[in-house]
Amino acid sequence: MPESTPVPGEALPASVDRTDGRPVYVIGGGPGGLATAAALREQGVRAVVLEKSDRVGSSWRRHYDRLHLHTTRRWSALPGLAMPRGFGRWVSRDDMVRYLDKYAEHHELEVVTGVEVSRIDRTGDGGWQLSATGGRVLTGRAVVVATGFNHTPRIPVWPGREGFTGELVHAADYRSPAPYAGRDVLVAGIGNTGAEIAVDLIEGGASRVRIAVRTTPHIVRRSTAGWPAQATAVMVRRLPVRVVDAAGRLMCRVSVPDLAAQGLPRPDTGLYSRVREGSIPVQDVGLISAVKSGRVVPVAAVESFDADAVVLADGTRITPDAVVAATGYERALEGLAGHLGVLDHRGRPVVHGARTPDGAPGLYFTGFTNPISGMLREIALDARKIAARLAKAG
């Protein structure tokens, strides 16, 4: 994989005919950054990927061992390189890492590792200046921010958290169930990560597993009679919300048993309505069976800690040996671009893909949405659109 130290104003290769010799800088060497760089290269636009770690796909390398994509291999591939059939339908974490390594090599991407960008600013001539580690100051004609949806682990500031005498870790630090064998574990949060870790724990030998639920999730089968849930999501993503909500209710009643007696009632809001609010359905990889059999027990949300006890929203006090907080991530874009007026009240980009924020032409964001049709699929589509837009700009 080629690596170089970018030099501000460095000339483009002779084979590339552009009026502006400055490269497009892509911040982040994950799927979004690599896909965009490959699409730009295909259009004859020089792109330099800046990755803060020592390898591409660093966040994927840190995911828990059990992880498999919830989207199909076909719809998870990035532009210009199919995933090998040998990966199977649901690609494992290790295979995803292998794919990202191969992707950067296959497209001969210009990746610079060990460089973290701390701030983006406009230049007087309409370009962009990046401040990075080692005192680097880089200038480019455009910038694509692809630092990732799951950037900085977030643990709520629960009262008494600091004094908890048990073990408290974020899901980002969870790798396998081995350290929890024979132990009582509470998983706080029932998104896809929390649900999968809970199943992993009970199958891996934890003596007891409870999962704290603040808002009951929609649960869908990852595949029904060979038909993947993602295929349905792609088909309905542009339909009216009320139509998808109605179809979702029917689908769930047919394919997912009522778990109310086990503490997990059906949600009282529509599936797609929740997606539009940022809540993605939980794809079942064993949770339904584990809850139905009583091996994973839903409990009320975590409210506070008191020495060795966890106090739940219904007043119950429990004393798990360990708590795994599957409580999400921050985008952490404020220091990078917050001063540019391009983020909303939640700290997320106001636009993404081929659109640029008002007053910030040449600044693009990709990978900061979590669409029902699959993040990797949308990243691939965004990459093509961004590349076409920048190639047209010249």
Side-chain angles (χ1 to χ4, degrees), residues 189-214:
I190 194 170
N192 277 292
T193 297
E196 191 158 1
I197 288 176
V199 173
D200 197 34
L201 284 164
I202 201 63
E203 291 181 353
S207 63
R208 184 177 191 178
V209 176
R210 287 171 282 201
I211 187 164
V213 182
R214 185 169 298 280

Side-chain angles (χ1 to χ4, degrees), residues 124-213:
D125 60 358
W128 291 92
Q129 175 178 291
L130 285 66
S131 301
T133 49
R136 294 176 176 86
V137 177
L138 312 171
T139 56
R141 69 182 184 94
V143 175
V144 181
V145 180
T147 49
F149 191 83
N150 296 338
H151 186 275
T152 302
R154 179 184 68 240
I155 297 182
V157 186
W158 288 303
R161 186 187 75 179
E162 299 301 325
F164 180 53
T165 57
E167 179 183 349
L168 172 62
V169 299
H170 190 273
D173 297 315
Y174 176 89
R175 294 292 175 272
S176 78
Y180 303 93
R183 302 174 70 191
D184 181 340
V185 187
L186 172 68
V187 178
I190 194 170
N192 277 292
T193 297
E196 191 158 1
I197 288 176
V199 173
D200 197 34
L201 284 164
I202 201 63
E203 291 181 353
S207 63
R208 184 177 191 178
V209 176
R210 287 171 282 201
I211 187 164
V213 182

Side-chain angles (χ1 to χ4, degrees), residues 29-32 34-35 56-61 63-65 67-73 75-78 81-84 86-88 90-104 375-377 379:
L34 297 180
V56 300
S58 61
S59 63
W60 284 91
R61 298 175 195 276
H63 284 314
Y64 48 94
D65 296 346
L67 179 68
H68 283 69
L69 296 183
H70 292 161
T71 53
T72 65
R73 180 188 73 252
W75 280 331
S76 299
L78 304 179
L81 185 66
M83 289 186 171
F87 283 6
W90 312 107
V91 179
S92 71
R93 178 205 63 185
D94 289 348
D95 282 337
M96 185 66 187
V97 169
R98 293 187 188 98
Y99 175 73
L100 294 177
D101 282 335
K102 179 64 177 178
Y103 191 83
M375 182 183 291
L376 290 170
R377 179 181 181 274
I379 279 173

Side-chain angles (χ1 to χ4, degrees), residues 333-353:
L333 292 169
E334 288 80 4
L336 190 68
H339 57 287
L340 297 171
V342 298
L343 307 178
D344 65 17
H345 68 282
R346 297 179 300 173
R348 301 185 182 187
V350 294
V351 297
H352 68 278

